[in-house]
Amino acid sequence: MDAYLNSWYYHYSYFKVRVRDKWENLIKLKAICEEKWWNVIKILRQTRIYKKIRARTSKVTDNQRVYFYTLLSCFFFALCSLFTDLIGKMPITEILWWRFFFTLIFTTFVTVYNDYPSPLSYRNYKMILLTAVLGTLTAMSTVFALRHLPIGEATLLLTTAPIFTVILSRVFLKEKLAIWDVGALVLATIGVFFVAQPSFIFGSEKNLSKSPVFYISIVVALGRGFFKAAKYVAVSCAGVDVPTAVIVMSLSCLGFLVSTVFLIISVSVELLTDKDMSKTWIHPGLLNFTFLFMVGVTYCLQQVCVCKAMQYGNPGKTSLLKYLDVVLPFVFQFLIFKEFPNKWSIIGSTCIAISTVTVLFVKRVQPIRHVTFKDEVEEAVEEAPPPVALVTMEMENVEVAENEVVLPKGTLQFGSDGTNDNDNNIQRKPF
């Protein structure tokens, strides 16, 4: 027994030393790469092109930064939808699991590389955790709605997030909307209605049975819009002090854990009931694995851009641009798959495009400035009251002259400028 324990302790010590050496080598390699990277950046900063780009970007306003990140997130969302379509027949739950898995890897790497603290160490850690919970609920409700609803009704109900965002921003952030914003919201909603083409208006080849699951799916799809809107507001309340990589890492970590538990339960039930497991899990080939990897990359970039836009701008007005998530996938389908949309889809896409142009180019006030913790401290110092005339302190024995005013024991008088009038005569105990 002793020989066995000694052998186990030897192998454990050897493994511990090897891991520590590997970790130290990785730290040294990181330092060397950072040094070489900064040398390259110093060389690039001396070029004329960098100086021109720096001069242009220094004049970028908050509105322009918000519009850039929002439109970029719509572009990455369309790419994510494209790679999802290229995967082919694969369960939605499995795609969701791989998406969370790759996003967690990327964001964890960025967080560790930049030495960001844990999400619980931030001042607004409650908003970070709330964002993770709401993001996970959004993903799960999306899967449930797409499984039990026709694609038209699902698309129409899943894109109600901007409507809820406007309401929540008005209630919690006191955000005001101009008449142009309200008109753009109504026009974009009508456009989504035409693009989705729900069966209860445009008809369908199949007679849909209105089972209880159908109505539950409608409620879940509407809940998805509410969860997504609440996530936007929570990211905005978290402030610009929190790095977007930390927010996305928290969301993907919780989503990965929940989707893993769901997959384990689903696979176990199918194995016990001797059912076909292909409805829950399919082993991906090399091509599908590449598409899944690109789905994770584009989803991660899309979440980062959305968080950046919500941190710098007002969620209500920013979410109006997210209606482009419905239009851009049609563009990729037309360019790559040669699928031509019908007249109703073209009319709906035109309405959404007009609403987007209205939000982008109509003159409006600047977005609300999200103050950081440093700004709050500076404002508190500026608004602080003048020094108090009497400050209570412990004192040693004080010799009082004949013409001096005797103060009560334990008090010390200060001048109007905050300086002590009796510094030469009073000896205080150290704090």
Side-chain angles (χ1 to χ4, degrees):
M1 187 66 181
D2 294 337
Y4 175 77
L5 291 176
N6 291 332
S7 176
W8 179 84
Y9 181 75
Y10 170 76
H11 288 292
Y12 169 74
S13 302
Y14 178 76
F15 177 75
K16 182 179 179 181
V17 172
R18 290 292 302 272
V19 171
R20 185 179 60 190
D21 293 340
K22 293 290 185 181
W23 181 255
E24 291 178 355
N25 292 334
L26 286 175
I27 293 176
K28 292 179 182 179
L29 180 63
K30 175 187 174 183
I32 294 173
C33 293
E34 286 181 349
E35 184 179 0
K36 292 182 178 295
W37 174 251
W38 282 112
N39 291 333
V40 173
I41 290 178
K42 289 179 182 178
I43 295 173
L44 292 176
R45 284 180 176 177
Q46 297 175 359
T47 58
R48 186 179 300 177
I49 298 175
Y50 175 81
K51 293 179 180 179
K52 289 184 178 180
I53 296 175
R54 186 67 179 175
R56 288 177 179 269
T57 54
S58 61
K59 301 178 182 179
V60 175
T61 62
D62 288 340
N63 276 331
Q64 293 173 348
R65 186 179 289 110
V66 169
Y67 297 155
F68 172 75
Y69 282 123
T70 307
L71 296 178
L72 197 61
S73 70
C74 296
F75 174 74
F76 286 128
F77 177 82
L79 284 179
C80 184
S81 302
L82 173 64
F83 289 120
T84 304
D85 293 337
L86 290 174
I87 291 174
K89 294 183 179 180
M90 183 174 285
I92 302 177
T93 52
E94 183 181 357
I95 297 175
L96 188 67
W97 186 87
W98 283 108
R99 191 175 69 176
F100 281 132
F101 174 73
F102 286 119
T103 305
L104 180 61
I105 291 177
F106 300 146
T107 52
T108 304
F109 174 78
V110 173
T111 303
V112 173
Y113 183 82
N114 293 309
D115 294 329
Y116 291 144
S118 64
L120 298 178
S121 61
Y122 288 94
R123 189 168 56 98
N124 293 330
Y125 71 94
K126 294 182 180 179
M127 291 298 168
I128 300 176
L129 298 180
L130 181 61
T131 303
V133 173
L134 293 171
T136 305
L137 290 175
T138 301
M140 295 302 171
S141 56
T142 303
V143 172
F144 186 85
L146 291 176
R147 273 189 170 185
H148 299 91
L149 283 178
I151 190 63
E153 281 80 352
T155 305
L156 179 62
L157 296 174
L158 292 176
T159 53
T160 55
I163 301 175
F164 289 108
T165 307
V166 169
I167 298 173
L168 294 178
S169 299
R170 178 59 181 166
V171 173
F172 293 101
L173 302 179
K174 308 302 180 183
E175 181 182 344
K176 296 181 179 179
L177 288 178
I179 188 64
W180 294 102
D181 298 321
V182 177
L185 178 64
V186 174
L187 187 61
T189 306
I190 295 173
V192 172
F193 184 83
F194 283 115
V195 170
Q197 300 174 23
S199 58
F200 62 88
I201 295 294
F202 292 88
S204 176
E205 296 179 358
K206 298 180 181 180
N207 294 325
L208 298 174
S209 59
K210 302 299 186 294
S211 61
V213 178
F214 179 82
Y215 295 104
I216 293 174
S217 303
I218 292 177
V219 175
V220 170
L222 290 174
R224 186 261 187 189
F226 177 80
F227 294 146
K228 193 172 184 179
K231 184 187 77 171
Y232 290 161
V233 177
V235 170
S236 179
C237 293
V240 296
D241 291 332
V242 183
T244 53
V246 175
I247 298 176
V248 180
M249 184 190 69
S250 304
L251 190 156
S252 58
C253 182
L254 183 60
F256 176 74
L257 294 176
V258 174
S259 58
T260 302
V261 172
F262 181 77
L263 273 177
I264 292 174
I265 294 174
S266 301
V267 171
S268 301
V269 170
E270 291 186 355
L271 289 176
L272 292 175
T273 55
D274 295 332
K275 291 184 178 180
D276 187 11
M277 204 176 64
S278 61
K279 295 182 179 180
T280 305
W281 183 269
I282 296 176
H283 183 69
L286 180 60
L287 184 61
N288 282 342
F289 187 81
T290 305
F291 290 146
L292 287 171
F293 177 80
M294 294 307 299
V295 167
V297 171
T298 51
Y299 175 77
C300 179
L301 294 175
Q302 184 248 346
Q303 289 295 323
V304 169
C305 292
V306 167
C307 292
K308 281 286 186 183
M310 296 302 165
Q311 284 179 337
Y312 283 106
N314 295 327
K317 296 173 183 175
T318 306
S319 63
L320 297 178
L321 298 176
K322 292 296 291 177
Y323 274 117
L324 284 178
D325 290 342
V326 184
V327 178
L328 290 181
F330 277 100
V331 177
F332 284 109
Q333 288 179 4
F334 174 73
L335 295 177
I336 297 176
F337 299 107
K338 304 300 181 182
E339 295 181 3
F340 297 94
N342 55 19
K343 61 178 181 180
W344 298 113
S345 299
I346 295 175
I347 294 173
S349 302
T350 305
C351 294
I352 296 175
I354 293 174
S355 66
T356 303
V357 172
T358 303
V359 174
L360 287 175
F361 295 104
V362 171
K363 188 176 180 181
R364 61 184 74 252
V365 296
Q366 290 289 332
I368 299 174
R369 184 177 67 92
H370 296 282
V371 296
T372 61
F373 180 69
K374 182 179 178 181
D375 296 333
E376 292 180 355
V377 172
E378 293 177 353
E379 292 177 0
V381 171
E382 293 176 358
E383 298 176 359
V388 183
L390 296 177
V391 179
T392 304
M393 300 180 64
E394 293 184 2
M395 303 186 333
E396 294 181 352
N397 296 328
V398 180
E399 296 181 0
V400 182
E402 295 180 357
N403 298 329
E404 271 187 318
V405 179
V406 180
L407 299 176
K409 186 177 180 180
T411 59
L412 180 65
Q413 188 170 9
F414 283 79
S416 59
D417 57 349
T419 58
N420 183 15
D421 293 338
N422 302 320
D423 279 341
N424 298 327
N425 299 326
I426 299 176
Q427 295 180 354
R428 296 181 295 271
K429 291 182 180 180
F431 290 101

